Amino acid sequence: MLLRGSGTAGPWGWLTLLLVACAARASEITFELPDNAKQCFYEEIIQGTKCTLEFQVITGGHYDVDCRLEDPDGTVLYKEMKKQYDSFTFTASRNGTYKFCFSNEFSTFTHKTVYFDFQVGEDPPLFPSENRATALTQMESACVSIHEALKSVIDYQTHFRLREAQGRSRAEDLNTRVAYWSIGEAIILLVVSIGQVFLLKSFFSDKRTMTTRVGS
């Protein structure tokens, strides 16, 4: 699986390209998408191949991103604005390079962490003779069942890790906001307390001044 990244990611673009280069043979990538930036990936696909694009924003802002998928002719196959997560399945209508981009250009100060899984084609059969006309042996059937179950377990683990990362990010963000709010409340209480002290002192000062005037 050959992926090439390009975009307007500024100084973060090289980091993203490095992550893509290191994971060029993988179908799952997690990358940083800076604010006011766009990152695109390309994939050579053969006609008739079934593909699935699944993505999720893990951290940053409102956990949303723009996603766009185009075929070799530039026809838009999929386009969603400010989505937190989604999945799209399509069958390639022709040979060529398909392009899918993630955009954070609507954000001015928050960067995002985006995960995507781009699957091209079906998994190869577990046994070379799995598609033969005769039935599988009991051992082969058990191996195929275990293999499918393990793939499901891997998918569930991936989704749980993403949810855990997203939940941790939300908790840390909430903790930061609570800390700032507590500091603000403490400062307000301190200012109000000092103000009350000076206000009470001013009352007694006025009484002393009036008493002195009356005595004289």
Side-chain angles (χ1 to χ4, degrees):
M1 183 178 183
L2 298 177
L3 289 170
R4 301 188 299 274
S6 65
T8 58
W12 289 90
W14 295 104
L15 176 59
T16 304
L17 292 177
L18 179 61
L19 292 175
V20 173
C22 294
R25 296 183 179 274
S27 59
E28 302 179 30
I29 295 178
T30 302
F31 66 97
E32 295 284 341
L33 184 61
D35 54 280
N36 198 26
K38 179 180 180 181
Q39 187 66 45
C40 295
F41 301 88
Y42 302 84
E43 175 69 22
E44 294 286 343
I45 304 177
I46 301 175
Q47 181 180 1
T49 303
K50 184 179 179 181
C51 308
T52 300
L53 172 63
E54 181 180 0
F55 67 92
Q56 179 175 342
V57 181
I58 302 176
T59 62
H62 295 288
Y63 304 89
D64 53 358
V65 72
D66 297 342
C67 183
R68 181 186 181 98
L69 173 65
E70 298 178 0
D71 67 2
D73 296 331
T75 303
V76 178
L77 303 178
Y78 171 83
K79 180 180 179 181
E80 288 292 342
M81 311 294 289
K82 296 184 177 181
K83 294 285 289 186
Q84 295 184 351
Y85 58 89
D86 203 3
S87 178
F88 176 70
T89 301
F90 69 97
T91 301
S93 59
R94 61 182 61 220
N95 299 333
T97 303
Y98 287 73
K99 170 185 175 182
F100 57 98
C101 301
F102 298 96
S103 175
N104 192 31
E105 295 175 325
F106 58 86
S107 179
T108 56
F109 58 90
T110 57
H111 73 281
K112 311 290 176 61
T113 302
V114 183
Y115 160 87
F116 75 85
D117 179 9
F118 192 63
Q119 300 178 359
V120 179
E122 301 292 340
D123 292 335
L126 186 59
F127 299 102
S129 58
E130 187 174 336
N131 296 325
R132 63 177 184 265
T134 58
L136 298 176
T137 64
Q138 185 176 1
M139 180 64 71
E140 290 174 340
S141 299
C143 291
V144 171
S145 300
I146 294 173
H147 178 67
E148 295 297 328
L150 289 176
K151 288 198 301 182
S152 299
V153 169
I154 293 174
D155 291 338
Y156 280 122
Q157 286 180 336
T158 300
H159 286 94
F160 280 128
R161 289 192 185 102
L162 292 175
R163 291 178 182 177
E164 179 186 4
Q166 190 178 68
R168 182 177 181 84
S169 176
R170 290 180 183 269
E172 291 178 350
D173 183 51
L174 180 60
N175 181 61
T176 302
R177 294 184 181 183
V178 170
Y180 286 149
W181 181 260
S182 300
I183 294 173
E185 285 186 336
I187 294 174
I188 292 174
L189 288 175
L190 181 62
V191 172
V192 170
S193 300
I194 295 175
Q196 287 178 344
V197 170
F198 281 105
L199 183 62
L200 289 175
K201 284 185 176 181
S202 66
F203 289 159
F204 289 110
S205 298
D206 293 340
K207 289 182 179 180
R208 289 179 181 177
T209 304
M210 292 177 62
T211 303
T212 304
R213 290 179 180 178
V214 172
S216 62

